[in-house]
Amino acid sequence: MSTPRIAVIGGTGLTRLKDLEITRRQVMHTPYGEPSGPLVFGRLNDTEIVFLPRHGARHTIPPHEVNYRANIWALKNAGIDNVVAVAAVGGIGEEMKPGMVAIPDQIIDYTWSRANTFFEGNDLEEVTHIDMTWPYSDSVRQTLIRAIDDLGIEAVEHGTYGATQGPRLETAAEIDRLERDGCDLVGMTGMPEAALARELGLNYACCAVIANWAAGRAEGEITMDDIAANLDVGMARVKQILTHVISSLS
């Protein structure tokens, strides 16, 4: 049996991959506790991959309680090299319209109290500082962008992701602050996931689905019905993109 080299982390709206021919599920026990669920091994587009739903199979784990360290450690120890992390986000910038896909190239971390590094404890041989100048793998990002271009999907091929604590949505004033800071998108799972992947040497990039306008960017309140409708549109595009890129990344 070949070892998969690519994993997909599914976010809100992507708890399973359609057309994934599942070959096995593996429960992983890590030094950091239990991952969000068993790793799902299978074939998509004739390529071996691993799928992991970030919020659990039934979407019951809120963003601030995801065991990011266990998830990333489990993928690394399954032999994964490349990770495409799918995330539902809010749109801040004018071009970040609900239903669209974005491939961010930067991130700002506003989270707190999350276990955010593997480099801690009394058994460290040295202090390690990872370079996060460019937080996402350029090779994975470019593969996603080429797939988007080949498929003719309307998407934004850049952007700064503001990672907030959750699980509540943000206030309009908080979104104003994020925009002043340079954020184009807002989500709750981008960190520490990206940093942990970098610490373990994984090639990691985010494929963001814009589920709604962020607070104060549209009239009225943000409703779950609107989010669900936009996710249906966006995730259909994401599944096309994933099918297209997986063979390239493998």
Side-chain angles (χ1 to χ4, degrees):
M1 183 182 296
S2 60
T3 300
R5 295 182 58 197
I6 177 171
V8 175
I9 300 177
T12 299
L14 190 66
T15 55
R16 64 184 180 87
L17 274 180
K18 184 182 178 183
D19 300 326
L20 177 64
E21 180 188 341
I22 298 174
T23 55
R24 63 189 172 99
R25 290 179 171 84
Q26 183 175 347
V27 175
M28 300 286 286
H29 301 288
T30 86
Y32 306 97
E34 299 302 307
S36 296
L39 300 186
V40 180
F41 291 75
R43 297 185 66 83
L44 184 68
N45 199 25
D46 238 6
T47 302
E48 296 280 349
I49 72 161
V50 170
F51 179 71
L52 177 63
R54 185 187 290 113
H55 300 283
R58 295 183 295 112
H59 199 271
T60 55
I61 306 172
H64 65 297
E65 292 186 343
V66 172
N67 192 337
Y68 296 96
R69 290 196 298 183
N71 287 350
I72 296 299
W73 189 96
L75 294 177
K76 177 68 174 180
N77 279 267
I80 295 300
D81 296 319
N82 304 301
V83 178
V84 176
V86 180
V89 300
I92 299 176
E94 290 184 1
E95 61 184 341
M96 301 295 183
K97 301 173 184 176
M100 288 184 60
V101 173
I103 311 298
D105 56 353
Q106 280 294 334
I107 192 165
I108 300 177
D109 188 6
Y110 300 93
T111 66
W112 67 88
S113 73
R114 299 183 181 188
N116 61 6
T117 183
F118 294 107
F119 300 130
E120 62 182 14
N122 298 323
D123 57 348
L124 295 180
E125 296 181 0
E126 61 181 356
V127 177
T128 304
H129 304 284
I130 57 168
D131 176 29
M132 286 289 284
T133 305
W134 302 102
Y136 300 112
S137 162
D138 187 60
S139 62
V140 180
R141 285 192 70 257
Q142 293 305 320
T143 303
L144 288 166
I145 289 169
R146 282 194 298 273
I148 288 167
D149 293 343
D150 290 346
L151 293 166
I153 291 174
E154 184 182 10
V156 183
E157 299 174 357
H158 60 87
T160 296
Y161 178 132
T164 58
Q165 179 70 0
R168 67 168 178 84
L169 298 174
E170 300 75 27
T171 69
E174 287 170 332
I175 294 300
D176 288 343
R177 175 200 173 194
L178 265 63
E179 185 171 39
R180 290 193 298 269
D181 286 350
C183 296
D184 304 291
L185 305 163
V186 60
M188 301 174 187
T189 59
M191 288 291 278
E193 196 172 85
L196 292 168
R198 179 62 56 85
E199 285 188 351
L200 293 190
L202 296 175
N203 301 314
Y204 172 100
C206 174
C207 183
V209 178
I210 303 163
N212 55 278
W213 286 114
R217 294 299 179 271
E219 294 183 7
E221 296 182 353
I222 300 169
T223 70
M224 294 302 108
D225 287 343
D226 287 342
I227 288 176
N230 292 324
L231 281 177
D232 284 344
V233 174
M235 287 302 172
R237 293 169 175 168
V238 165
K239 290 171 185 176
Q240 286 182 277
I241 294 166
L242 291 176
T243 300
H244 198 280
V245 303
I246 278 169
S247 58
S248 298
L249 289 175
S250 67

